[in-house]
């Protein structure tokens, strides 16, 4: 069972740059749900390998660090542009 690179997070980053914050948040939540489910499936069927573990760490970095920080950064500057 191959670990997939989470396109939801990449799309979320794209929509953040387009100031579509609601869709970006929805995509980030969907990515988080897939991250939980594919981890459970890999553990249940004992299908994890070293590459999958490293790719999961990358996806976790995207979902829990990069996307929220970028979202906050862009949202603050979007709001400040109206002041």
């Amino acid at each position: 069972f191959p670990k997939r690179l989470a396109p939801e997070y990449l799309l979320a980053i794209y929509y953040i740059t387009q100031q579509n914050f609601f869709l970006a948040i929805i995509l980030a939540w969907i990515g988080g749900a897939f991250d939980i489910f594919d981890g459970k499936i890999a553990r249940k069927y004992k299908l994890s390998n070293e590459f999958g573990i490293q790719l999961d760490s990358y996806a976790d970095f995207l979902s829990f660090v990069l996307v929220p920080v970028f979202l906050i950064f862009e949202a603050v500057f979007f709001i400040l542009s109206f002041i």
Side-chain angles (χ1 to χ4, degrees):
F1 187 82
K3 177 77 177 162
R4 62 188 192 85
L5 183 60
E8 301 85 23
Y9 301 125
L10 300 176
L11 283 172
I13 291 172
Y14 170 75
Y15 283 112
I16 290 169
T17 63
Q18 303 300 311
Q19 279 95 27
N20 192 343
F21 302 120
F22 182 75
L23 185 55
I25 291 169
I26 296 297
L27 287 169
W29 276 94
I30 290 171
F34 278 123
D35 187 40
I36 291 168
F37 291 132
D38 66 11
K40 287 183 183 281
I41 291 170
R43 282 189 297 278
K44 180 178 180 180
Y45 294 108
K46 298 181 176 78
L47 297 171
S48 63
N49 59 23
E50 187 60 35
F51 178 74
I53 292 169
Q54 295 300 321
L55 193 58
D56 187 56
S57 296
Y58 174 70
D60 290 344
F61 174 75
L62 278 176
S63 62
F64 301 121
V65 177
L66 191 63
V67 171
V69 168
F70 192 54
L71 177 66
I72 292 168
F73 177 81
E74 285 289 322
V76 166
F77 278 102
F78 179 73
I79 292 168
L80 289 178
S81 69
F82 292 108
I83 296 177

